[in-house]
Amino acid sequence: VRNAGVSSNTSVDMLARYEADVLAYSSAWVFFQIPLYNDAVNAGLTAAQTISNCQTVLDAFLGAGRKVLLIGPPGITTGNTAAIVEVYLTVNKWCKEQAQTRGNVYFADTFYYSCNPIAATKGSPRTSYLASDGIHESPLGAQAAKAQACYDAIGSLIPRIQTLTTTAQAQQTPTSGTLHRGQIQAERSMRYRALAIQQGLQPSRQGCKLTAF
């Protein structure tokens, strides 16, 4: 995995650097985090401006043969206003439309999983889903909202680990007794490595297979 993310970047910044930081490197996938907080709250960009910038970047990724997972933002506390939430919802709608109408585009709707549907303020996150800054995910939010949204978006593309277990491997697994933690970790490591090779995710000198942007 190559991490091309830059803290506090807006979609304007990403538009200026995606060729050098992403397209210049070989990868099968791009995980494209939509920088909505930075755009709407920090830079005051409109939904139309964010969509236009992200559309250009997305088109370039697809044109280069990449699969793209669009990742939406979590709920918002700091800077939450009705106008800002409408920007979030409008850009989220665009992301959904891209995933529904274009090939090789997927959308992880973090906002949906993160928001508290009964909160008095629209767009507010569930309890403990954000860090103390009211902007970024807490460990709970990252797991329960973002990770779940990503899994729902592309989980069907990932084969089950169990399918990698051969008859010979099964015969080597004790049917009774307790495996030591090291044995369990070694078994998992072997299967995940086999999965990576099977799916073409093994790192190579030609470049990474996934870029986080």
Side-chain angles (χ1 to χ4, degrees):
V1 176
R2 181 175 187 277
N3 184 5
V6 176
S7 178
S8 299
N9 260 199
T10 66
S11 61
V12 174
D13 299 317
M14 299 172 90
L15 187 63
R17 67 182 182 84
Y18 74 88
E19 291 184 350
D21 287 358
V22 180
L23 291 185
Y25 299 85
S26 173
S27 68
W29 281 85
V30 177
F31 281 17
F32 184 3
Q33 173 85 40
I34 308 299
L36 255 180
Y37 188 90
N38 296 334
D39 274 21
V41 180
N42 291 343
L45 298 184
T46 65
Q49 289 172 315
T50 294
I51 289 171
S52 177
N53 294 337
C54 291
Q55 185 79 69
T56 299
V57 175
L58 175 62
D59 289 348
F61 291 160
L62 294 175
R66 313 292 174 90
K67 294 182 177 69
V68 181
L69 175 64
L70 300 172
I71 304 176
I76 177 175
T77 299
T78 302
N80 185 329
T81 66
I84 292 296
V85 171
E86 284 306 309
V87 172
Y88 272 51
L89 294 175
T90 300
V91 177
N92 250 26
K93 181 182 178 182
W94 172 79
C95 291
K96 291 177 184 178
E97 290 171 349
Q98 298 305 299
Q100 291 168 353
T101 61
R102 308 185 70 177
N104 293 327
V105 180
Y106 306 85
F107 176 45
D109 192 352
T110 309
F111 195 68
Y112 170 79
Y113 284 99
S114 176
C115 287
N116 182 349
I118 61 173
T121 303
K122 193 174 183 179
S124 295
R126 297 174 185 270
T127 302
S128 300
Y129 272 38
L130 290 187
S132 58
D133 63 5
I135 302 170
H136 301 95
E137 290 105 337
S138 65
L140 174 62
Q143 179 178 357
K146 181 173 287 183
Q148 185 61 53
C150 290
Y151 180 80
D152 283 355
I154 62 173
S156 62
L157 305 178
I158 304 172
R160 294 184 177 182
I161 295 296
Q162 288 89 328
T163 62
L164 300 176
T165 303
T166 65
T167 301
Q169 289 173 330
Q171 291 174 343
Q172 294 172 3
T173 302
T175 56
S176 61
T178 303
L179 287 174
H180 292 295
R181 180 176 299 177
Q183 291 176 289
I184 295 174
Q185 291 174 340
E187 171 75 7
R188 287 176 179 170
S189 176
M190 178 182 68
R191 293 187 184 182
Y192 278 112
R193 181 175 177 81
L195 175 63
I197 294 172
Q198 182 188 59
Q199 295 301 305
L201 296 175
Q202 188 70 6
S204 68
R205 294 183 182 272
Q206 285 68 46
C208 63
K209 295 299 180 181
L210 187 156
T211 300
F213 185 49

